[in-house]
């Protein structure tokens, strides 16, 4: 596991749902550095099925070297959130990191999801994240660290993620949409990102949902805690990203993930996959190029092309980007497309900008080895024709 370096010593971390599970794991990871932890959770009295209260969590946090402030907080209650924030500021002098972890889950289809459960998920996940963020932001703006981390999934509009549990997906996607909006709204002031596991994570709640047999198929909460810790080390410019725990830890040098498995060998290592390029600040010439490309798209262009292009860019402001000309109106974005790409193009960021601005012909780039193409060559040629139409704007 990642070593504790003391980088969060003295930082105040406000974590919702920190009495157990993922929230507590993140709290303990930060506490080992000597961080101040605000445990903002509902459970003040022992639960019949779920172990842990805000007070037992506080004892564990202080036992590993942190300072704890247990606060009874139901994130549906704006006053309780406000009171906890004020207590935190009074005790610790401010707030440096907010982790929106509190969540309600019901993996039920539309007809089996009652109005009460639907309201609960919307109020805890979507509304609660908004209210807690709003209350903490004035103090986060004063911090040199200034991070908001939402435990929520990457936004993917493939219907497969909605059809079995539509209400839950929408409630969690609400948390993810705040990442998009707040990252842009508070750019340069507060880093706002999302973190999500690649595999199932074992918690008491997981066992209640999946039964005791689910345990051997899960990873420990430690992997989320280590990934969150890594994100907290990033500068404020690392913002608006949807981070997968395994990917960011691979970038930290971890190669073997059996250390995180409840049952070593039971969770696939995914050795055949290449580590995904890590999110980088989306600014500079590449981001500007894609923004202009996006503004140039239309239904006619998408209908005429009908292809998805993936760009693997090396160098400054690089990473993985996509151009989706199959969906209505077309789309561009950072990361992987929702469907498999028809064409994969690999090149440097400098050559990419030159190619889209007309200073480097794709054919010449390909022949000189500056551009590598995998997939449908006919569709690659279609893209070259499209670039010629855009050159005037780029």
């Amino acid at each position: 596991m990642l070593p504790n370096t003391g980088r969060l010593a003295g930082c105040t971390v406000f974590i919702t749902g920190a009495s157990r599970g993922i929230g507590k794991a993140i709290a303990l990871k930060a506490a080992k550095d000597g961080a101040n932890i605000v445990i903002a959770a509902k459970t003040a009295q022992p639960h019949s099925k779920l172990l842990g209260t805000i007070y037992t969590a506080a004892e564990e946090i202080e036992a590993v070297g942190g300072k704890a402030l247990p606060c009874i907080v139901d994130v549906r209650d704006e006053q309780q959130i406000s009171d906890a924030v004020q207590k935190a500021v009074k005790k610790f002098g401010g707030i440096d990191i907010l982790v929106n972890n509190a969540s309600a889950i019901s993996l039920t289809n539309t007809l089996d999801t009652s109005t009460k459960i639907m309201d609960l998920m919307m109020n805890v996940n979507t509304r609660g994240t908004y209210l807690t963020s709003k209350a903490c932001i004035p103090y986060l703006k004063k911090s040199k660290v200034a991070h908001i981390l939402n435990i929520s999934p990457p936004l993917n509009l493939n219907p497969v993620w909605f059809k079995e549990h539509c209400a839950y997906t929408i409630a969690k996607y609400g948390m993810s949409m705040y990442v998009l909006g707040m990252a842009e709204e508070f750019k340069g002031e507060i880093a706002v990102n999302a973190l999500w596991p690649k595999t199932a994570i074992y918690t008491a709640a997981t066992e209640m949902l999946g039964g005791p047999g689910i345990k051997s198929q899960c990873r420990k909460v430690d992997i989320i805690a280590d990934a969150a810790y890594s994100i907290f080390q990033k500068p404020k410019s690392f913002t608006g990203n949807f981070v997968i725990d395994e990917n960011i830890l691979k970038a930290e040098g971890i190669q073997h993930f059996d250390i995180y498995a409840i049952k070593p060998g039971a969770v696939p290592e995914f050795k055949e996959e290449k580590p995904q390029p890590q999110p980088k600040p989306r600014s500079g010439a590449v981001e500007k190029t894609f923004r202009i490309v996006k503004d140039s798209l239309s239904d006619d262009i998408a209908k005429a092309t009908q292809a998805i292009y993936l760009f693997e860019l090396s160098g400054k402001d690089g990473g993985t980007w996509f151009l989706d000309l199959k969906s209505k109106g077309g789309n561009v974005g950072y990361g992987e497309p929702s469907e498999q790409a028809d064409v994969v193009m690999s090149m440097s960021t400098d050559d990419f900008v030159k190619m889209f601005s007309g200073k480097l012909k794709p054919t010449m780039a390909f022949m000189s080895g500056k551009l590598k193409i995998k997939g449908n060559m006919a569709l690659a040629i279609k893209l070259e024709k499209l670039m010629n139409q855009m050159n005037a704007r780029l």
Side-chain angles (χ1 to χ4, degrees):
M1 298 180 188
L2 294 177
N4 287 305
T5 61
R7 293 177 182 174
L8 297 183
C11 288
T12 298
V13 188
F14 191 107
I15 309 176
T16 65
S19 59
R20 60 176 70 92
I22 288 171
K24 189 178 79 171
I26 295 173
L28 290 171
K29 181 75 178 182
K32 289 175 183 176
D33 272 9
N36 309 316
I37 310 297
V38 183
I39 309 160
K42 289 194 307 177
T43 310
Q45 300 298 325
H47 190 279
S48 59
K49 295 181 180 179
L50 301 173
L51 296 176
T53 68
I54 57 175
Y55 304 112
T56 59
E59 290 174 359
E60 291 182 57
I61 286 163
E62 294 186 342
V64 298
K67 294 180 180 178
L69 175 62
C71 296
I72 300 173
V73 176
D74 182 337
V75 294
R76 294 172 293 178
D77 189 319
E78 188 172 13
Q79 189 60 53
Q80 288 186 14
I81 296 169
S82 178
D83 290 345
V85 168
Q86 294 308 312
K87 287 177 183 177
V89 172
K90 183 177 180 180
K91 184 176 178 67
F92 299 125
I95 296 172
D96 300 287
I97 297 170
L98 166 63
V99 180
N100 286 306
N101 167 71
S103 187
I105 179 171
S106 180
L107 301 179
T108 47
N109 61 36
T110 300
L111 295 179
D112 291 332
T113 304
S114 68
T115 302
K116 181 179 179 180
I117 293 297
M118 190 271 285
D119 285 344
L120 175 67
M121 290 190 289
M122 296 297 178
N123 286 332
V124 172
N125 303 352
T126 305
R127 183 174 178 271
T129 295
Y130 181 84
L131 293 178
T132 308
S133 300
K134 183 179 179 181
C136 291
I137 283 169
Y139 303 100
L140 291 169
K141 281 186 170 187
K142 300 175 184 178
S143 170
K144 293 181 179 179
V145 180
H147 273 74
I148 294 176
L149 181 64
N150 294 351
I151 307 303
S152 63
L155 291 166
N156 185 335
L157 297 185
N158 187 325
V160 70
W161 300 110
F162 294 82
K163 69 174 185 177
E164 300 295 341
H165 35 73
C166 190
Y168 172 70
T169 297
I170 291 172
K172 291 300 286 188
Y173 275 21
M175 297 174 68
S176 299
M177 292 174 75
Y178 292 142
V179 171
L180 292 182
M182 291 182 183
E184 192 68 21
E185 184 177 358
F186 302 108
K187 185 177 289 186
E189 295 181 289
I190 304 170
V192 187
N193 297 288
L195 174 62
W196 198 244
K198 186 163 189 174
T199 69
I201 301 297
Y202 180 72
T203 64
T206 305
E207 184 164 320
M208 286 179 65
L209 289 166
I214 195 72
K215 185 173 182 178
S216 64
Q217 303 170 41
C218 296
R219 283 177 173 165
K220 302 171 188 175
V221 290
D222 298 16
I223 191 170
I224 292 288
D226 285 357
Y229 185 85
S230 178
I231 292 170
F232 299 154
Q233 312 309 311
K234 304 289 186 184
K236 292 178 184 179
S237 57
F238 184 86
T239 190
N241 300 295
F242 295 93
V243 180
I244 300 299
D245 56 359
E246 181 176 302
N247 293 348
I248 196 168
L249 292 177
K250 280 183 177 177
E252 297 283 354
I254 293 178
Q255 299 298 323
H256 303 290
F257 287 82
D258 251 4
I259 58 171
Y260 295 114
I262 297 290
K263 182 179 179 181
V267 180
E269 284 283 329
F270 304 102
K271 291 179 181 178
E272 73 281 1
E273 294 185 0
K274 294 186 297 182
Q276 295 296 320
Q278 285 308 301
K280 299 177 181 179
R282 283 170 280 182
S283 60
V286 173
E287 188 273 342
K288 181 180 178 182
T289 299
F290 272 105
R291 189 168 67 243
I292 295 172
V293 169
K294 186 174 183 178
D295 291 341
S296 303
L297 299 181
S298 66
D299 282 340
D300 290 340
I301 290 174
K303 288 176 183 177
T305 312
Q306 286 298 290
I308 296 177
Y309 301 90
L310 188 68
F311 300 89
E312 296 177 341
L313 306 180
S314 59
K316 185 180 178 182
D317 300 327
T320 301
W321 297 75
F322 68 88
L323 171 58
D324 179 359
L325 295 178
K326 280 187 176 177
S327 60
K328 185 177 181 181
N331 191 24
V332 303
Y334 185 86
E336 299 282 346
S338 58
E339 296 180 30
Q340 185 174 353
D342 300 293
V343 180
V344 179
M345 296 184 170
S346 304
M347 71 199 85
S348 71
T349 54
D350 287 343
D351 288 336
F352 169 83
V353 174
K354 289 177 184 176
M355 196 170 74
F356 266 85
S357 60
K359 296 176 182 177
L360 176 64
K361 295 295 182 184
T363 303
M364 293 303 296
F366 179 74
M367 292 179 67
S368 64
K370 292 181 176 180
L371 167 64
K372 294 181 180 179
I373 301 176
K374 295 178 184 178
N376 191 316
M377 291 300 293
L379 292 176
I381 293 170
K382 270 192 175 185
L383 181 61
E384 182 171 6
K385 293 179 180 177
L386 179 60
M387 284 186 218
N388 292 333
Q389 298 174 27
M390 295 181 177
N391 286 166
R393 295 193 63 186
L394 292 158

